[in-house]
Structures are given as C-alpha cells and as structure tokens.
Amino acid sequence: NDAHFHDAVTGVQLEIIERQTLVEWLANNYKTFGANLEFITDRSQEGSQFCRGFGGIGGLLRWKVDFVEMEMAAELDQANLLAAEDEDEDYFDADDFM
C-alpha cells in the first residue's frame, strides 16, 4: 500500500532505510522490553492448531495476567451496579408526582 510510504500530514515520500521481518525484529529486541520469546512449531498437533489459529503470532503480553483477580473485580463491579440500581428504586421524589 503506497499510503504507508508517505507522511500523512505533509505528503512527503518516506525513505526505506532497512527492511526487517517482524520475527527477526522480535528476536533481536525482546530483551529490551523485559519479555520472554518462545517459538512454537507446527510439528505437534497442539503446535499446529496454535499456529493455524493465530496465524503465526500467538500473543504479545507485557505483564502477567491474573485472571482470578480480574474475575473477582468483575464480580465486585457487577455487585456494585446491582446495589446502585436497588438504591435508585428505593428513592422517592415527590416532584415526580406533582
């Protein structure tokens, strides 16, 4: 796409200084970001399914995800929402009836 090689604001054509595949860039730079790099091949049934399902890149996670904590936060949010709805139902405004 030619639009990727022009500055959106000025319209100036950009110069390609270096070409590098994403995998090569990740292999060279992952330590800079404190990440771990793991290659998964399609030589096993699980690996093949993973590679087909994600099209080659499975995920880029910067921090460990605590799914239990996320679930507890979601349940707390839902409980707070229900409590707020209950408070709204109990509220009586005389101006609504005049």
Side-chain angles (χ1 to χ4, degrees), residues 11-93:
V12 174
Q13 185 172 357
L14 303 174
E15 179 183 355
I16 298 174
I17 297 173
E18 177 185 7
R19 289 183 185 264
Q20 188 176 37
T21 64
L22 177 62
V23 172
E24 185 179 351
W25 185 88
L26 288 171
N28 292 332
N29 295 291
Y30 74 95
K31 290 181 183 177
T32 307
F33 301 99
N36 295 330
L37 179 65
E38 295 188 28
F39 288 100
I40 299 173
T41 68
D42 59 356
R43 292 185 181 158
S44 68
Q45 181 179 355
E46 294 86 358
S48 179
Q49 182 179 1
F50 182 87
C51 291
R52 280 194 320 266
F54 291 103
I57 296 180
L60 301 169
L61 299 176
R62 176 69 171 99
W63 293 278
K64 182 178 179 179
V65 179
D66 187 348
F67 291 103
V68 173
E69 185 177 321
M70 287 175 57
E71 184 176 332
M72 290 173 56
E75 290 173 358
L76 184 59
D77 287 345
Q78 182 66 25
N80 289 339
L81 181 63
L82 291 173
E85 288 175 358
D86 287 343
E87 288 176 11
D88 288 344
E89 291 175 4
D90 294 339
Y91 179 72
F92 176 78
D93 188 353

